[in-house]
Amino acid sequence: MKRTLVLLTALLLLPLAAQAQLSTPAEKSASRTIRAEALRAHVGFLASDLLEGRGPGTRGDALAQQYLATWFQLLGLKPAGPEGSYLQPFELVGMTGHPETLTFTAPQGSAALRFHDDFIASSGAQAEESVLQDSELVFVGYGIQAPEYEWDDFKGMDLKGKTLLILNNDPEDDPKLFGGKARLWYGRWDYKYEQAAKVGAAGALILHTTPSAGYPWQVVQTSWSGEQFELPASGARPRLQMKGWTTDEATRRVVQLSGRELDILRGMAQKRDFRPVPLGVKVSTRFVNQVRRRPTANVLGLLPGSDPKLSSEVVLYTAHHDHLGLKADAKPGEDAIYNGAVDNASGVAAMLEVARAFTALPKAPPRSILFAAVAAEEQGLLGSQYLAEHLPVHPGRVAANINIDGLNIHGRTRDVTVIGLGKSSLDKTLIALASGQGRLVRGDQLPDRGFFYRSDQFNFAKLGIPSAYFSSGMDFIGRPPGWGKERRERWEAEHYHQPSDELRPGWDFSGAVEDVQLFFLLGTQVARTKELPRWNKGDEFEAPRLQALEALKTEGAR
């Protein structure tokens, strides 16, 4: 935190005139081609009912892909997919099926939780049947193994075949551990399921509360109901039979069967010396799944760089084009379409406008620019995972990833929110560019939500690629203090992953235009600055970056 404040102070003291010189006249001129009308038009099509929520593998998904490929072609971008195509196709495994009840038995009695109201669960096995039969329930605290913090919630206990009850988030009482109030990957559900599978567990249940998740139970209900998708299973990767969530109230009933109190268990889990607690409760359930393979695709367009040497390196822009599709249990007359206007038709619209601004330059930048509209983000960052595993260039040749996930729809702001501020050298450029707009850069203003680990840039960061992910500020011009945060929290409570995320006439794209200009100008800087961006020393993603760059050297020496 101190390092970030020093960096911010030093840069804000630079003369504005010097900061403005970061961008060339041609770049500034191209940035002015980014228009609110174009953003609205792209969102209007991608979030229309015609595309039926852009669920993976659906007709709406294919329409979104074709729309993007057509725009890439119109803008003069080169196809960057296999066999001269704009599409990078891959398969998803879709599974539909859930148990009506989840049964817990103990000598003291039994409890049956109801699907949707008390728990949400999906099969972890890509099979027609998935069964838990009298699997022992073990409370494992936060389910974290973090050697750098000398933290291990499993303590070597044999957990094969068990069902793990796991707290959401990560310990936050000590500011020296796990970023304090900030959520790290250790606090994310995908990490917890992955760790549970690694230790051989049969099932994993994450205890949901709104503060620990960063979103209400209704988001779990909508995101984890209906068909669930994964990339095809690898034989070497361990799998759970069940991945699920339980409400706080339901979990208390289950824990009471063991004669323990949930709040006492929570308190125990805050300490390094915590050890797993077998609860003496057996878990049983059965999934009967419909399993099918469905095609989807990332859409890739390339603007080749103008420098003979640097053009082999790319600046990677990403935005996910998918959303949740149709509501499976919609009642007659109910809005059944998850339009995904903010999330993420708006981000795709922004990427298209960034691409148009790049093609408006009189000359392409030295480095190449790769635009990737990725699929199946809502299903667990699957499209970006596939792209990360099948990049058209070596990871060491990707200068940076600039990811766009959701735009500001409420007007202009005095600030910009940078998720992960303090992690990489990209901060310096971002701060200077934002200052040139007359705006202040702030770090994540909702650090407990773990946003850096919840969007597509995470898959590229794991490869060591320096990543920028920023969103609108919260200090809105002409609005009272706190208005922006209130709007953000209301949107998450009422519209996030709900059918009401629709384009509305009252949306104000003026602030979005400034944000998109910032996305563009950051890319131009990275594309023409000789020195590659880097993670700050000691950052969690520094090691894979150094490994990727070293691999390039070895490759070049052959």
Side-chain angles (χ1 to χ4, degrees), residues 40-52:
R40 182 180 290 275
H42 288 309
V43 174
F45 178 80
L46 290 166
S48 67
D49 286 355
L50 176 69
L51 272 67
E52 297 178 334

Side-chain angles (χ1 to χ4, degrees), residues 399-555:
N401 169 226
I402 301 172
N403 184 52
I404 312 173
D405 195 350
L407 286 185
N408 167 19
I409 58 172
H410 300 303
R412 297 180 62 213
T413 62
R414 299 180 183 88
D415 58 346
V416 180
T417 300
V418 176
I419 311 298
L421 185 67
K423 294 181 72 64
S424 81
S425 63
L426 292 169
D427 293 345
K428 182 176 180 179
T429 306
L430 263 172
I431 291 169
L433 288 169
S435 183
Q437 292 181 322
R439 297 202 287 171
L440 175 69
V441 165
R442 301 183 190 276
D444 190 350
Q445 299 182 61
L446 299 169
D448 60 316
R449 311 294 171 87
F451 287 126
F452 191 86
Y453 309 92
R454 286 171 56 178
S455 197
D456 290 306
Q457 78 286 331
F458 181 43
N459 279 320
F460 305 107
K462 287 192 287 186
L463 291 179
I465 298 168
S467 301
Y469 174 38
F470 55 97
S471 61
S472 67
M474 292 193 186
D475 185 6
F476 281 82
I477 295 171
R479 301 292 185 178
W483 185 87
K485 184 177 181 181
E486 183 272 330
R487 283 280 163 160
R488 176 63 179 265
E489 292 177 343
R490 181 191 298 182
W491 188 86
E492 287 192 356
E494 297 177 2
H495 305 301
Y496 177 55
H497 283 194
Q498 302 301 316
S500 56
D501 180 10
E502 298 178 297
L503 177 63
R504 300 177 187 277
W507 282 12
D508 182 349
F509 283 94
S510 60
V513 168
E514 291 186 325
D515 289 344
V516 179
Q517 289 172 336
L518 198 54
F519 289 127
F520 166 66
L521 292 173
L522 176 62
T524 64
Q525 294 298 308
V526 176
R528 64 176 171 82
T529 302
K530 186 175 181 180
E531 183 181 358
L532 286 169
R534 56 175 173 73
W535 295 102
N536 291 339
K537 189 171 180 58
D539 188 83
E540 60 192 312
F541 302 117
E542 181 190 27
R545 182 58 165 181
L546 296 177
Q547 291 167 6
L549 295 175
E550 186 61 33
L552 264 185
K553 290 180 184 178
T554 305
E555 187 179 272

Side-chain angles (χ1 to χ4, degrees), residues 147-230:
E148 70 273 29
Y149 293 113
E150 299 179 351
W151 193 283
D152 180 6
D153 280 326
F154 299 125
K155 300 295 192 299
M157 178 178 284
D158 183 4
L159 296 169
K160 291 182 175 61
K162 316 291 188 185
T163 293
L164 309 187
L165 178 60
I166 310 172
L167 296 177
N168 207 354
N169 208 338
D170 47 49
E172 58 182 30
D173 291 345
D174 186 345
K176 297 179 182 178
L177 287 173
F178 303 106
K181 298 293 183 182
R183 186 193 305 259
L184 303 182
W185 186 39
Y186 294 122
R188 293 279 298 138
W189 55 263
D190 46 354
Y191 170 83
K192 297 176 187 295
Y193 291 142
E194 184 177 307
Q195 290 301 108
K198 283 182 179 178
V199 299
L205 293 169
I206 297 175
L207 168 57
H208 174 275
T209 64
T210 296
S212 70
Y215 40 76
W217 179 246
Q218 69 185 32
V219 173
V220 179
Q221 292 171 317
T222 55
S223 301
W224 289 75
S225 298
E227 191 170 18
Q228 299 296 301
F229 293 94
E230 297 179 344

Side-chain angles (χ1 to χ4, degrees), residues 246-371:
T246 56
T247 66
D248 185 81
E249 188 277 330
T251 306
R252 289 181 184 278
R253 301 204 313 265
V254 170
V255 170
Q256 283 174 357
L257 292 176
S258 70
R260 295 179 177 271
E261 293 294 331
L262 179 58
D263 290 336
I264 293 175
L265 292 176
R266 275 197 180 108
M268 294 166 57
Q270 308 305 315
K271 301 176 182 178
R272 276 194 178 95
D273 61 0
F274 169 81
R275 301 185 66 84
V277 181
L279 296 176
V281 176
K282 304 293 186 181
V283 187
S284 298
T285 194
R286 177 172 176 262
F287 295 83
V288 177
N289 301 314
Q290 294 179 349
V291 183
R292 58 175 175 169
R293 293 193 172 230
R294 305 188 71 170
T296 189
N298 299 324
V299 189
L300 311 180
L302 181 72
L303 178 66
S306 58
D307 184 272
K309 184 177 179 180
L310 289 180
S311 61
S312 65
E313 299 174 352
V314 302
V315 178
L316 171 63
Y317 281 90
T318 51
H320 73 89
H321 64 69
D322 66 295
H323 200 55
L324 299 177
L326 297 172
K327 189 174 184 180
D329 58 351
K331 298 178 176 60
E334 182 183 0
D335 185 358
I337 300 174
Y338 293 103
N339 300 84
V342 169
D343 184 17
N344 185 39
S346 70
V348 174
M351 188 174 69
L352 289 174
E353 279 296 274
V354 168
R356 190 162 65 83
F358 268 104
T359 60
L361 291 170
K363 182 182 179 181
R367 287 191 175 91
S368 299
I369 313 295
L370 177 61
F371 297 94

